[in-house]
């Protein structure tokens, strides 16, 4: 059980839900926020190195995602569409939304 969360996590290999949610398809770096720990150049280098090490595991780099929390009745409790490659909901915001204690990343080094 990851971080005390016992719910279900889904993926969308056919991208039907991806399209229905209107998620973005772009190489934009829009949305770089405070949680970004590295420069864009450093991020590109790290991503390129990861891709070379894990050939075949990389998806479409233009496919931006999002974060959605949906209850068992189908009600969207939280939704965020990433505007670009650096626009992600902070992990602690997602944990808060599902009632899990935040993680202190500085303490985990």
């Amino acid at each position: 059980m990851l971080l005390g969360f016992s719910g279900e996590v889904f993926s969308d290999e056919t991208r039907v839900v991806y399209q229905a949610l209107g998620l973005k398809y772009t190489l934009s770096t829009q949305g770089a926020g405070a949680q970004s720990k590295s420069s864009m150049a450093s991020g590109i280098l790290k991503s390129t190195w990861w891709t070379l090490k894990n050939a075949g595991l990389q998806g479409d780099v233009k496919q931006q995602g999002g974060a959605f929390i949906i209850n068992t009745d189908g009600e969207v409790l939280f939704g965020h569409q990433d505007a670009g490659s650096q626009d992600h909901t902070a992990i602690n915001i997602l944990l808060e939304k599902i009632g899990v204690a935040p993680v202190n990343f500085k303490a985990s080094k």
Side-chain angles (χ1 to χ4, degrees), residues 2-99:
L2 178 64
L3 300 172
F5 177 66
S6 61
E8 296 179 84
V9 177
F10 298 92
S11 66
D12 179 24
E13 294 178 28
T14 62
R15 292 196 243 185
V16 171
V17 176
Y18 174 86
Q19 292 167 354
L21 292 171
L23 297 174
K24 309 282 189 277
Y25 190 77
T26 180
L27 285 176
S28 170
T29 57
Q30 179 179 348
Q35 78 180 57
S36 296
K37 290 186 176 183
S38 62
S39 70
M40 189 164 118
S42 174
I44 290 170
L45 289 173
K46 287 177 186 177
S47 178
T48 301
W49 178 247
W50 185 91
T51 301
L52 291 172
K53 288 191 330 185
N54 299 287
L57 298 177
Q58 177 69 38
D60 187 338
V61 296
K62 290 183 181 178
Q63 182 178 338
Q64 303 305 315
F68 299 88
I69 300 172
I70 303 167
N71 69 14
T72 55
D73 295 327
E75 178 186 4
V76 178
L77 304 176
F78 176 84
H80 173 80
Q81 298 171 325
D82 294 348
S85 62
Q86 296 182 8
D87 179 32
H88 306 292
T89 303
I91 292 169
N92 282 331
I93 290 174
L94 296 172
L95 293 174
E96 175 190 324
K97 299 290 183 185
I98 61 172

